[in-house]
Amino acid sequence: MRRQKKAKLRRIARKRINVLFKEAEEAASKGELERANRYVELARKLGMRHNVSLPSEFKRRVCKNCYSYLYPSKSCSIRLKKGSLVSKCFECRSINRYVYERNSK
Amino acid sequence: MVQKSDLDPIYTSEFIGSKIEVTDSEHEGYIGLKGKVVDETKETFVMKNHEERTVPKEGNKFKIEMNRSWKTLDGSKLTYRPENRIKKLG
């Protein structure tokens, strides 16, 4: 019974994380970057409280160093270099790399 | 099994991004304020229409748009941090 209840709470948490990232994207596209960062903070807190990890498509939208929302051209730059996607956060100047080519010789 | 609460599932959903209106309040000045929820804290909502207004949850009754229908909310039952609300009310 308890496990079922926890699963129900996690389902709600996942739904709310989706809503928050949708709103964060909208806010960032209007240039309200601080608001977008606040939504990321709320989504992360929801995840930590209910043991839900952020889905992979959202993980790429958050800086791994300062947790600010990454919106290409407004809060990060994106370059393709040597088999990986490199995004540079404008907030903390740190670099996040995402490999897209694993089987190259 | 003991039901923890018989509240509407709306109480555990996300409010940020949806339209909200103050229907009843202990303080007259808040009645009729409406806008989009842009932030939520333990004690307040921040709603934006033309300007941003911070409205306390305690003592206020709200009307919120979810899935194209308006639902009523009792603000006094919502005084938890947004991430804790699921556990406390779910």
Side-chain angles (χ1 to χ4, degrees):
Chain A
M1 211 65 225
R2 194 170 180 157
R3 192 171 289 181
Q4 275 179 18
K5 182 137 203 209
K6 268 195 175 170
K8 189 186 148 202
L9 297 186
R10 286 204 184 122
R11 226 173 15 249
I12 297 171
R14 280 196 197 97
K15 225 191 213 169
R16 285 181 61 177
I17 288 172
N18 278 323
V19 173
L20 281 167
F21 269 91
K22 210 183 81 193
E23 291 299 322
E25 191 184 348
E26 211 182 301
S29 69
K30 286 180 194 161
E32 298 167 342
L33 294 174
E34 261 171 48
R35 184 134 287 154
N37 293 348
R38 166 76 179 151
Y39 294 163
V40 170
E41 189 194 328
L42 285 175
R44 271 172 40 82
K45 273 187 183 168
L46 260 176
M48 285 190 274
R49 180 76 35 165
H50 299 281
N51 206 358
V52 176
S53 56
L54 296 184
S56 59
E57 70 257 38
F58 295 151
K59 266 186 194 167
R60 289 190 173 204
R61 290 169 174 262
V62 179
C63 174
K64 291 200 170 157
N65 185 46
C66 66
Y67 304 118
S68 59
Y69 187 81
L70 298 177
Y71 191 90
S73 86
K74 285 195 174 157
S75 58
C76 74
S77 71
I78 287 195
R79 295 288 179 272
L80 301 179
K81 283 177 189 169
K82 287 182 188 170
S84 63
L85 187 150
V86 180
S87 81
K88 189 175 183 185
C89 172
F90 290 167
E91 193 70 37
C92 62
R93 300 274 149 197
S94 68
I95 285 170
N96 301 293
R97 285 190 183 84
Y98 309 101
V99 180
Y100 63 78
E101 205 174 272
R102 286 186 189 277
N103 297 323
S104 61
K105 282 176 186 174
Chain B
M1 184 200 165
V2 183
Q3 281 284 328
K4 201 172 176 184
S5 70
D6 299 315
L7 284 172
D8 197 289
I10 203 88
Y11 278 83
T12 57
S13 60
E14 187 57 58
F15 300 136
I16 285 175
S18 43
K19 285 176 191 159
I20 201 171
E21 189 179 340
V22 184
T23 51
D24 194 16
S25 173
E26 284 175 9
H27 177 67
E28 281 177 16
Y30 291 127
I31 299 175
L33 282 180
K34 51 185 163 183
K36 196 177 145 189
V37 186
V38 289
D39 204 351
E40 184 189 351
T41 62
K42 187 182 169 193
E43 303 281 354
T44 65
F45 282 122
V46 181
M47 51 179 84
K48 187 181 182 183
N49 197 356
H50 299 294
E51 48 170 358
E52 278 176 29
R53 288 293 297 265
T54 309
V55 180
K57 294 175 179 176
E58 185 76 50
N60 285 353
K61 286 206 165 58
F62 301 95
K63 196 168 79 170
I64 194 157
E65 192 181 27
M66 286 267 167
N67 306 323
R68 294 186 206 93
S69 63
W70 289 89
K71 302 245 174 134
T72 52
L73 281 178
D74 186 353
S76 304
K77 289 177 187 166
L78 287 169
T79 51
Y80 302 106
R81 289 194 200 120
E83 70 268 22
N84 283 357
R85 213 175 52 221
I86 305 180
K87 207 169 262 182
K88 304 269 185 190
L89 300 173

